[in-house]
Amino acid sequence: MALKDYQDMVHRCFRCGYCKFTSDYSYVGFNCPIYNKFRLESYSPGGMMWLIYASLVKEEIKPSKHLSEILYSCTMCRNCSQECKFQFNEDIVNVLKAAREEMVDKQLMPPMVGQFLKNVYDYGNPYRELKENRDNWAENTEIKHYEKGDEFLYYVGCVGSYDTASQKAARALGSVLKKSGLSFGILGSREICDGNEVDMLGETGLFEFLKEENTRIFKEIGVKKIVTLSPHSYNALKNSYSNEFEVFHYTQLLRDLIKSNKLDLSGGFEAKVTYHDPCFLGRYNNEYDAPREILAAIPGVELIEMERTKENSFCCGGGCGNFYTDILGGGEDTPSRFRIREAHDTGANIIAVACPVCVMMLEDALKAEGLENELAIKDISEIVNEALL
Amino acid sequence: MGREKSIYNALVDIVGEDFVSNEPEDLYLYSRDGGTTKPRGVDYVVVPKTVEEVQQIVILANREKVPITPMGGGLTLNGLVIPVHGGIVIDMKRMDRIIEVNESSRYVVLEAGVSQGALLSYLRKNHPDLQHSMPEAPSIATVVGNILIRGHGSLSQCGDNSNMLNGMEIVLPTGEICQVGSCSASPHWFGKGPLPDLAGLFIGWFGTTGIVTKASLRLYPRPEKRDMVLFVTQNPDLIPELVYKLTQTRIADNIGMMEQEKPEYMKGYQFTGVIISGDSEEEMDYKRKVLDKIPQTCGDGENKVTLLGEIPPSSKERFLEEPPFAAVAADFRKGGGFQYCAIMMPIEKVPEAWRRGIEIAHNNGMLFQCANQVMSAGHEVMFGYNYSFNRADEEDAERARKAMQETNKLGLELGGIPWKADLQAQKEIVEKMDPNTRELMKKVKKLLDPNGIMNPGNWED
Amino acid sequence: MDIYSSLANIVGEDFVSNQEEELYLYSRDSGAQLPRRADYVVAPKTVEEVQQIVKFANKEKIPITPMGGGLTLSGLAVPIKGGIVLDMKRMDRIIEVNEKSRYALLEAGVTQGALHSHLEKNYPHLEHSMPDAPPMATIVGNIVIQGHGHLSVSCGVNSQMVNGMEVVLPTGEVCKLGSSSISPYWFTRDPLPDLMGLFIGWLGTTGIITKISLQLLPKPKFRDLLTFTSGDVDLLPDFIFDITQLNLMDNLFVISQEWPPWAQGILYVPIVSAQDEEEFKLKIKLHKELLRKYEGKITLVEGKHAEKMRTARLPVPPVTLGVMAADAKQGGGFEYTGGIVPIEKVPEASTRSVEIAHKYGQPYLLGYQLLTGGHSMMCGLAYCLNRADGEDVEKVRKAIDETNKMILDVGGVLWKAEAPAQSLMVQRMDPNTVKLMKRVMKALDPNAIMNPGNWSD
């Protein structure tokens, strides 16, 4: 919906600030990743609501570059919508998205955001990588392209396809699926961006195009069920695409495969593991159990929860294209570094994640914190893969 | 280099570029709050991390004669941290360390930016047997801000929160850092006395006398069980007697009263809620039993106090939650504007305040809605007149503004005093004040802040 | 006109004196401080008289020392630099009691005993928090020194219960503070800039309080005390934490005395009260149950010793063992260091004060009172003295000095400290705080006529 559809709501925010906390006050500090870093009132959900009202609804102040920096600093982790006590809470992220649409219309996006969108438009991925290299990660594996009759399309997404750290997860998941005996395939160089970030960044036109294009390809080759590596893809495909496809995040699928004894995990994985909930799996899609059930099923895994967990999980800072635009980057107070320190405090030696964006963000932060010798980041797909006999 | 630029640069030198702004978008937010106060200009906002940074900002402001307005949560709704004469807003919320909790002597030492929510979380996690008196405000409200406006909390039977203060660290308007309370002469922050009470110089002054950077606040036992008992009356004349009887029992943690005209079935009823607590069912039972007997001791044949047997669990939760979220009612106009006018008054003035409050609301085309609180062990009442408005509708805001002004006048006429008074009400208070007291106030301000840089425009005539 | 005549013109000849007999009394108190000479004593009746005296003193640059009961034992109302002692006790009107908003408005000379009687007679459901002091102590005096009372644990210390004041400033202006500055009602200290702090804890150096509004509290129908005994002082912080966690006491005395022998060790005396019998029994029961956790290390005292404690400590004000013990030397003198310390420091303070007592050949005599709901403790470390024996007085003075330093060493602060002990604190104080204190004193009292010599370094 466009901003005008929210005109009767935008001014309703009281800026009371509940949106900055966790739900149960279990954590001392702020759970809004941007306010936690910037600490000016502008960089908070309420501040944004008021500024959107002032600049884009009431036109008291002129939309500017700085406004754009503020609006695009948010990762849309959805903590605010969850914690806001008022009836309009769901609309907080929607209003922000609608405001970003206006910024795109006015061509006021921060340069890196513009670059992100342009790259996706030109290349089908934000990295300006060639389409034909999209499945380079699958070389020398048994992972094949999707063929008619395969039960699942394995949709990898841009980050899993191109980012070195995340490619490991992509391969691991492929290997696990293979061992389960499931019939599946990838799109290879025909895969293009799912558009989740594009949508969140307010480029509606491009998102519509990606949606149509992806849907066309899926239909053309007869896809019915999709399993995604990334919760971001999962969110877009499940909630914004037509409902003719059955979409799973891979943790849901693996959980079911384990339950029906299709995966023999008796190889085990000896580690103290803490699990970081990705926003697009958790707060957006309410899936907190599947990853934990998988970890619980692996012999040797000792799961230690972080202070902020499940619906109180703290965003890694990578959402809304931040893994590329890096608006939240720099300094000790970046969300990913906060999160690494929190994970370190649990005494775990593995941070398990279920999202290629989180993998990438947390890997970088781990290095910045200098904790590589004490902690390692592993996608759940990798852990499962190692535990398989 | 222009003056503006040079001040900006000097601020950047002090706190770093990320934590100072003079961009219109950031200033927009610091120029207004959620109440009806009209926006007022701000020139810079700074977010310091350390007391030394605050000190340097104050020294700079003295040199440049730029006003400073220290800000906590910014939630007074009365524009107390919106500068009157522009200048620098110091957002204190980055100074957010909880430095020490002393369990035996029950206090917490914290920096000025620590929010109510953060302290609540910290205590629940590390000292689950202890609690602080939590105001009925959004959790982002700061502990220090609440003390300085003399706010009250969930344990107001032990006094308001400024009464629970053990000591402070302050940056004086002239830049010196000093400590008041036991901490000035001891490593421990256990008490305000028995020294000359310097803390008073900074309490209730709305930032005109200095910037509090640390405070020690008393903590209290946290009982295992809490419950609410609700009484209903249909005539506000009964309230002083009811409150007297209730406070005489000495068993309440907190006593509040309310009335609202919407939904319709609530109209015309005054609800008096008593929060009780205890560590065992036995203790709770005797407290309930004591309260059960109250209706028999109040009123006459015609006017009765009724004990509400069944309270829907959802409304109970709303009041028992910590912090309570009664403010959800603020959105009933769907307008994002909420303003209330709080008057401290003697308890015997409550009936008149009630009736005339209804008149004011109706005369301004608004519904009457009040939420009141009994202070300490039954010594005064904070009468809160609520005026929700639509922030998008200037006419509506103007109506709320007018109702506010009339209510403040009513409060003063009844012998009450507006709490956290806005500029207009401050002026009315100062006008009404004993002239020698007014002079003393001025003398203190002048003494501490010779250049008049601290939140100027407040407490002036 | 000479000073005497000018003063006589203001208050009338009957109420001013510069005769040796009066001056002798006003030059000393019953503590161990050496006498210091007062030149005039004046007993005004009205605020206007106080105002005129202050104006006169400014003109003549004569020091003024306001005095209430004069019972601090630390010479706080004995002038350091001579001049006029202003005995406030003639200003003894109880002006108003507001029952619903529970406050009493009274003049500065009203004594604890007078207010107590007034309430008993006219408002039997209300009481005020009465200090563990002789009934001649004044309400205002107790507030100004930040004293505590028999409801301190449940309701806070007395300076927290002030709703408002009328003050004569050192420059002669009369002003009202608190709600009374803008309202006919004296119901609150809130929500104005706090000016009352300027007169609390300053020991008369910033002005003269002429009226005060004090909060009154519900008076319970049932009251009793329990006596627990323990041999282990180190258990004290934990036990106090647990007993205050119950949140059911009005007051808690802790006593440790060498004499009588049954009072050795640590005696805990919680005072419990209630409005009805069932509530009362439950409270007593819950307190007794607490002892289970301490398995014989802290036990209930019953029988004649408990009865003795009841006789001494239950009345309001209590007939303190201190007062009785004060006469141990039959020497009419008594002094103690009042150290306010964090609760976890009490064991150390106790042990060390026993050592000091023995070093000076004194029996130890410790009387503690918990402040507010378990936030700090007033440690009264007492010494009796024989007023007739100069050597004895000197010995006690030394013991007091050593005890003062000990309290400061353990991180405590001295309560109603005598001038030299005030200096000890000022010397240890944050220098910027000292500067601020001096700035305030200078601003209010440019001619430095108000009880000069106090709070100096």
Side-chain angles (χ1 to χ4, degrees):
Chain A
M1 289 203 290
L3 190 57
K4 64 174 172 25
D5 300 317
Y6 295 104
Q7 269 190 9
D8 292 335
M9 171 268 152
V10 187
H11 66 274
R12 277 170 72 184
C13 168
F14 290 86
R15 279 182 61 218
C16 60
Y18 280 85
C19 50
K20 295 170 181 159
F21 291 88
T22 57
S23 56
D24 52 359
Y25 301 100
S26 56
Y27 175 76
V28 184
F30 300 114
N31 213 35
C32 168
I34 52 166
Y35 181 70
N36 193 54
K37 176 174 166 63
F38 292 104
R39 294 300 181 94
L40 283 161
E41 293 286 327
S42 359
Y43 294 87
S44 67
M48 289 188 198
M49 288 302 109
W50 280 39
L51 285 174
I52 290 168
Y53 177 69
S55 59
L56 301 173
V57 178
K58 221 176 158 195
E59 296 176 358
E60 273 179 66
I61 53 176
K62 243 176 97 187
S64 65
K65 275 191 184 164
H66 184 55
L67 176 69
S68 165
E69 282 163 18
I70 295 168
L71 298 184
Y72 280 99
S73 66
C74 172
T75 62
M76 298 247 200
C77 76
R78 239 187 133 269
N79 185 70
C80 50
S81 279
Q82 184 183 277
E83 298 314 324
C84 172
K85 307 272 182 184
F86 293 98
Q87 286 166 1
F88 51 78
N89 51 12
E90 279 302 324
D91 283 334
I92 299 174
V93 284
N94 297 336
V95 166
L96 178 56
K97 202 168 90 178
R100 287 174 173 181
E101 284 171 24
E102 302 261 328
M103 300 313 278
V104 170
D105 279 352
K106 295 181 163 58
Q107 286 296 303
L108 279 170
M109 314 84 88
M112 284 301 278
V113 172
Q115 194 65 49
F116 183 102
L117 295 170
K118 186 168 185 309
N119 292 348
V120 172
Y121 182 77
D122 291 344
Y123 295 84
N125 69 72
Y127 299 113
R128 294 173 75 88
E129 291 281 355
L130 295 175
K131 284 181 188 177
E132 45 268 42
N133 295 341
R134 194 161 178 115
D135 56 359
N136 282 359
W137 62 272
E139 271 171 23
N140 308 317
T141 68
E142 292 171 49
I143 302 161
K144 62 173 188 58
H145 286 188
Y146 184 87
E147 291 162 16
K148 259 203 169 71
D150 282 343
E151 190 182 354
F152 277 93
L153 168 69
Y154 171 19
Y155 183 90
V156 187
C158 303
V159 182
S161 298
Y162 294 111
D163 178 75
T164 333
S166 305
Q167 283 173 344
K168 282 193 282 179
R171 275 193 293 271
L173 179 58
S175 154
V176 171
L177 293 176
K178 203 81 205 156
K179 288 179 195 160
S180 75
L182 208 75
S183 70
F184 73 97
I186 58 173
L187 284 174
S189 56
R190 291 190 76 188
E191 188 182 282
I192 54 167
C193 178
D194 53 69
N196 190 62
E197 316 307 289
V198 170
D199 182 31
M200 297 285 163
L201 291 171
E203 178 41 300
T204 325
L206 180 56
F207 182 52
E208 285 305 315
F209 166 77
L210 294 169
K211 227 161 75 174
E212 277 166 28
E213 192 59 15
N214 273 316
T215 309
R216 190 183 57 76
I217 297 167
F218 297 162
K219 278 186 174 167
E220 190 184 300
I221 58 174
V223 171
K224 292 272 184 300
K225 292 183 180 176
I226 304 172
V227 57
T228 73
L229 176 67
S230 170
H232 296 243
S233 316
Y234 172 67
N235 182 57
L237 296 175
K238 183 166 191 282
N239 300 321
S240 301
Y241 282 53
S242 82
N243 55 11
E244 52 202 298
F245 313 108
E246 212 181 328
V247 187
F248 299 86
H249 183 249
Y250 82 83
T251 52
Q252 297 167 325
L253 185 60
L254 295 194
R255 185 242 336 252
D256 295 346
L257 289 170
I258 291 167
K259 273 195 179 153
S260 51
N261 297 318
K262 298 271 172 50
L263 293 170
D264 180 3
L265 297 169
S266 49
F269 186 82
E270 285 295 333
K272 284 185 184 167
V273 176
T274 188
Y275 171 67
H276 164 79
D277 289 275
C279 303
F280 283 101
L281 192 58
R283 273 188 290 263
Y284 275 82
N285 288 294
N286 212 24
E287 183 58 84
Y288 300 107
D289 297 337
R292 289 181 172 79
E293 286 173 40
I294 296 173
L295 290 169
I298 302 174
V301 167
E302 183 193 338
L303 180 66
I304 317 168
E305 293 286 358
M306 280 185 265
E307 216 181 331
R308 284 180 283 187
T309 180
K310 299 186 179 173
E311 67 274 7
N312 289 332
S313 179
F314 186 58
C315 174
C316 73
C320 286
N322 240 301
F323 63 86
Y324 175 83
T325 58
D326 202 27
I327 294 173
L328 279 170
E332 284 180 13
D333 290 344
T334 53
S336 51
R337 288 185 63 177
F338 246 88
R339 195 58 169 162
I340 287 290
R341 294 197 289 269
E342 198 172 331
H344 186 243
D345 287 344
T346 62
N349 46 17
I350 296 288
I351 307 178
V353 286
C355 169
V357 174
C358 299
V359 169
M360 182 191 154
M361 297 302 291
L362 294 175
E363 279 287 357
D364 287 349
L366 187 67
K367 289 183 194 118
E369 289 287 314
L371 289 171
E372 302 103 305
N373 296 329
E374 294 170 56
L375 262 177
I377 317 290
K378 273 197 191 293
D379 195 84
I380 285 185
S381 59
E382 297 176 77
I383 297 176
V384 171
N385 197 33
E386 286 182 39
L388 279 178
L389 270 187
Chain B
M1 190 160 47
R3 181 168 179 265
E4 255 177 56
K5 185 72 188 157
S6 82
I7 293 175
Y8 176 81
N9 288 347
L11 290 171
V12 168
D13 285 344
I14 298 170
V15 295
E17 208 176 346
D18 288 351
F19 298 108
V20 48
S21 172
N22 58 359
E23 304 260 14
E25 290 79 7
D26 301 317
L27 300 181
Y28 177 89
L29 294 173
Y30 289 91
S31 305
R32 64 206 71 218
D33 69 10
T36 50
T37 306
K38 288 185 177 151
R40 297 191 290 254
V42 176
D43 300 311
Y44 313 89
V45 48
V46 232
V47 199
K49 182 72 189 163
T50 65
V51 60
E52 290 77 18
E53 288 177 8
V54 175
Q55 185 179 32
Q56 287 180 57
I57 296 165
V58 171
I59 292 170
L60 168 77
N62 266 295
R63 196 173 63 224
E64 298 285 344
K65 309 277 184 296
V66 197
I68 292 181
T69 303
M71 171 195 183
L75 290 161
T76 62
L77 302 175
N78 284 338
L80 296 183
V81 295
I82 306 172
V84 183
H85 299 295
I88 304 167
V89 170
I90 306 189
D91 185 332
M92 301 296 289
K93 290 194 288 301
R94 230 176 113 228
M95 293 182 66
D96 57 0
R97 284 185 311 142
I98 294 171
I99 297 162
E100 182 199 352
V101 168
N102 179 321
E103 272 210 354
S104 309
S105 295
R106 288 195 187 82
Y107 64 80
V108 56
V109 182
L110 38 77
E111 287 188 325
V114 172
S115 66
Q116 301 285 352
L119 180 55
L120 179 74
S121 305
Y122 187 87
L123 293 175
R124 283 205 183 160
K125 204 171 129 186
N126 303 298
H127 307 277
D129 294 341
L130 298 176
Q131 62 175 338
H132 77 289
S133 185
M134 181 104 182
E136 193 181 326
S139 317
I140 194 77
T142 60
V143 174
V144 165
N146 182 262
I147 291 170
L148 296 181
I149 58 167
R150 318 193 85 149
H152 45 270
S154 52
L155 303 172
S156 58
Q157 297 299 292
C158 302
D160 73 53
N161 290 9
S162 63
N163 242 325
M164 301 175 181
L165 181 78
N166 279 343
M168 299 192 260
E169 176 191 77
I170 297 139
V171 177
L172 296 182
T174 38
E176 300 90 339
I177 300 171
C178 72
Q179 297 185 317
V180 302
S182 65
C183 62
S184 69
S186 154
H188 309 291
W189 294 64
F190 60 87
K192 197 155 96 173
L195 300 166
D197 181 353
L198 288 164
L201 290 173
F202 309 95
I203 294 174
W205 292 85
F206 300 159
T208 59
T209 49
I211 302 174
V212 177
T213 46
K214 282 193 195 80
S216 164
L217 182 74
R218 284 188 201 146
L219 302 174
Y220 293 84
R222 179 163 181 239
E224 276 166 32
K225 296 170 195 296
R226 286 176 89 225
D227 198 6
M228 183 176 72
V229 177
L230 202 53
F231 298 91
V232 188
T233 50
Q234 279 180 276
N235 181 351
D237 286 341
L238 282 171
I239 298 283
E241 191 189 354
L242 174 60
V243 168
Y244 184 78
K245 294 280 163 62
L246 287 172
T247 44
Q248 204 64 16
T249 66
R250 309 188 309 167
I251 61 173
D253 282 6
N254 210 356
I255 301 173
M257 294 160 262
M258 62 166 295
E259 177 172 347
Q260 57 188 54
E261 295 184 300
K262 272 263 161 86
E264 201 64 39
Y265 66 83
M266 288 180 83
K267 193 173 171 174
Y269 293 98
Q270 302 90 39
F271 295 88
T272 301
V274 181
I275 308 277
I276 51 172
S277 68
D279 286 324
S280 62
E281 251 333 293
E282 200 180 3
E283 202 181 329
M284 296 299 280
D285 276 345
Y286 99 71
K287 289 188 174 174
R288 282 188 203 105
K289 232 183 265 173
V290 169
L291 293 176
D292 278 353
K293 292 181 204 147
I294 293 288
Q296 303 156 20
T297 67
C298 291
D300 48 42
E302 227 167 278
N303 295 306
K304 281 194 194 104
V305 174
T306 317
L307 181 80
L308 210 60
E310 289 290 311
I311 312 173
S314 61
S315 15
K316 222 181 215 190
E317 219 171 273
R318 207 175 89 180
F319 288 99
L320 289 175
E321 213 187 338
E322 293 171 289
F325 198 71
V328 80
D331 191 40
F332 88 103
R333 298 282 311 275
K334 302 201 188 321
F338 179 65
Q339 179 86 58
Y340 69 100
C341 191
I343 310 286
M344 299 290 180
M345 61 180 69
I347 296 170
E348 65 275 19
K349 292 290 167 183
V350 167
E352 194 180 347
W354 212 296
R355 295 211 164 79
R356 293 183 57 188
I358 295 176
E359 278 170 27
I360 290 177
H362 292 177
N363 288 342
N364 287 290
M366 304 172 97
L367 291 171
F368 177 68
Q369 192 190 11
C370 73
N372 314 331
Q373 175 116 30
V374 177
M375 303 295 296
S376 62
H379 293 98
E380 58 179 317
V381 161
M382 188 283 293
F383 202 114
Y385 299 88
N386 296 350
Y387 302 114
S388 290
F389 64 98
N390 187 339
R391 212 158 55 84
D393 178 352
E394 184 46 37
E395 238 173 71
D396 201 39
E398 192 52 43
R399 251 198 309 272
R401 230 170 261 144
K402 192 165 154 267
M404 282 282 293
Q405 280 168 16
E406 288 173 24
T407 313
N408 281 329
K409 284 209 164 69
L410 167 68
L412 287 164
E413 184 197 320
L414 292 176
I417 309 174
W419 172 48
K420 59 186 167 87
D422 61 22
L423 281 184
Q424 177 63 29
Q426 285 176 36
K427 278 203 167 66
E428 283 165 30
I429 291 172
V430 173
E431 256 165 47
K432 234 188 141 185
M433 195 179 269
D434 176 342
N436 286 337
T437 310
R438 186 161 61 212
E439 285 312 307
L440 180 59
M441 209 168 86
K442 283 188 188 166
K443 199 184 216 170
V444 168
K445 279 172 71 172
K446 184 82 194 161
L447 168 73
L448 291 170
D449 181 18
N451 290 324
I453 57 160
M454 292 303 307
N455 207 2
N458 281 278
W459 292 123
E460 284 175 13
D461 44 14
Chain C
M1 199 168 14
D2 64 11
I3 294 173
Y4 174 84
S5 311
S6 304
L7 291 170
N9 269 352
I10 298 171
V11 295
E13 252 183 65
D14 289 350
F15 298 106
V16 53
S17 169
N18 57 0
Q19 310 269 316
E20 231 17 77
E21 292 73 8
E22 276 83 25
L23 297 184
Y24 178 86
L25 295 176
Y26 285 90
S27 300
R28 65 203 74 217
D29 68 11
S30 30
Q33 297 301 302
L34 293 174
R36 296 188 295 252
R37 190 173 165 80
D39 299 314
Y40 306 91
V41 49
V42 190
K45 183 68 189 165
T46 65
V47 61
E48 291 76 18
E49 288 176 8
V50 175
Q51 190 177 27
Q52 285 178 54
I53 296 164
V54 170
K55 284 184 175 161
F56 173 72
N58 262 297
K59 205 170 70 201
E60 301 286 335
K61 310 276 186 295
I62 313 172
I64 296 182
T65 302
M67 173 193 181
L71 290 161
T72 61
L73 304 176
S74 42
L76 296 182
V78 181
I80 296 175
K81 305 195 171 163
I84 303 165
V85 172
L86 212 57
D87 186 331
M88 301 297 287
K89 289 194 287 302
R90 249 180 95 227
M91 294 181 67
D92 58 359
R93 285 184 310 143
I94 296 171
I95 300 162
E96 181 200 351
V97 170
N98 179 319
E99 202 173 9
K100 286 278 156 34
S101 295
R102 290 195 185 83
Y103 64 82
L105 173 62
L106 29 95
E107 286 187 327
V110 172
T111 62
Q112 300 289 348
L115 180 59
H116 186 70
S117 313
H118 185 80
L119 294 175
E120 289 257 284
K121 204 168 140 192
N122 303 296
Y123 303 93
H125 302 302
L126 297 177
E127 63 179 339
H128 78 286
S129 185
M130 196 139 171
D132 189 358
M136 199 58 199
T138 61
I139 305 279
V140 165
N142 180 260
I143 285 166
V144 169
I145 59 167
Q146 290 154 304
H148 43 269
H150 79 288
L151 300 171
S152 282
V153 171
S154 52
C155 304
V157 297
N158 293 3
S159 51
Q160 287 183 297
M161 300 184 187
V162 190
N163 284 341
M165 297 175 183
E166 178 190 74
V167 184
V168 178
L169 297 182
T171 38
E173 302 89 340
V174 180
C175 62
K176 286 180 184 156
L177 311 175
S179 61
S180 66
S181 68
I182 62 163
S183 157
Y185 308 104
W186 293 68
F187 68 101
T188 186
R189 183 172 180 168
D190 292 340
L192 300 165
D194 186 72
L195 289 163
M196 263 182 265
L198 289 172
F199 308 95
I200 293 174
W202 293 84
L203 308 177
T205 58
T206 48
I208 302 168
I209 298 173
T210 46
K211 283 193 191 75
I212 212 152
S213 165
L214 180 73
Q215 290 183 355
L216 302 175
L217 298 153
K219 186 173 181 182
K221 298 197 179 88
F222 297 83
R223 254 180 112 245
D224 199 6
L225 56 70
L226 290 165
T227 305
F228 303 144
T229 182
S230 159
D232 183 358
V233 69
D234 290 328
L235 285 176
L236 183 141
D238 282 348
F239 184 63
I240 291 198
F241 184 80
D242 287 340
I243 199 169
T244 44
Q245 243 353 64
L246 288 179
N247 209 1
L248 298 169
M249 283 184 298
D250 284 4
N251 200 5
L252 175 69
F253 297 111
V254 178
I255 299 154
S256 179
Q257 322 191 142
E258 201 146 4
W259 188 260
W262 67 272
Q264 290 175 7
I266 306 288
L267 296 172
Y268 297 93
V269 187
I271 312 274
V272 175
S273 75
Q275 296 295 22
D276 78 22
E277 202 168 351
E278 190 188 345
E279 180 187 351
F280 187 52
K281 283 183 179 155
L282 178 66
K283 283 185 175 177
I284 298 273
K285 186 182 108 178
L286 291 170
H287 278 96
K288 286 184 182 168
E289 279 173 6
L290 198 63
L291 295 183
R292 281 188 208 151
K293 191 177 156 188
Y294 288 85
E295 289 178 334
K297 289 180 188 142
I298 298 177
T299 52
L300 185 69
V301 176
E302 283 169 308
K304 72 173 197 295
H305 293 153
E307 215 33 65
K308 228 174 204 164
M309 199 54 92
R310 202 166 269 122
T311 322
R313 289 277 156 168
L314 198 56
V316 177
V319 186
T320 66
L321 289 195
V323 167
M324 297 189 302
D327 199 30
K329 288 193 182 166
Q330 313 222 321
F334 176 65
E335 175 140 348
Y336 65 100
T337 287
I340 299 191
V341 303
I343 293 167
E344 67 278 14
K345 296 288 176 188
V346 174
E348 188 186 343
S350 287
T351 311
R352 288 177 64 178
S353 84
V354 169
E355 285 165 17
I356 295 170
H358 288 170
K359 178 174 160 191
Y360 288 96
Q362 289 266 349
Y364 63 85
L365 183 59
L366 317 177
Y368 300 167
Q369 190 159 358
L370 187 64
L371 299 183
T372 69
H375 296 99
S376 59
M377 214 155 186
M378 196 289 289
C379 301
L381 315 170
Y383 305 96
C384 309
L385 53 101
N386 185 346
R387 180 172 298 294
D389 178 350
E391 222 171 278
D392 198 45
V393 174
E394 187 51 34
K395 218 156 62 180
V396 167
R397 230 185 336 262
K398 276 193 183 146
I400 288 282
D401 185 52
E402 201 168 325
T403 312
N404 284 340
K405 286 182 180 142
M406 179 275 288
I407 288 290
L408 293 173
D409 283 346
V410 303
V413 185
L414 300 168
W415 176 47
K416 59 185 174 71
E418 62 277 12
Q422 290 168 32
S423 301
L424 281 182
M425 282 195 282
V426 172
Q427 283 152 22
R428 293 183 187 221
M429 205 179 262
D430 176 345
N432 282 336
T433 309
V434 176
K435 236 166 78 186
L436 178 60
M437 226 164 79
K438 298 214 159 145
R439 266 164 82 185
V440 168
M441 282 161 73
K442 179 86 190 160
L444 290 172
D445 182 18
N447 293 323
I449 57 161
M450 293 304 307
N451 207 1
N454 279 281
W455 290 123
S456 73
D457 42 16

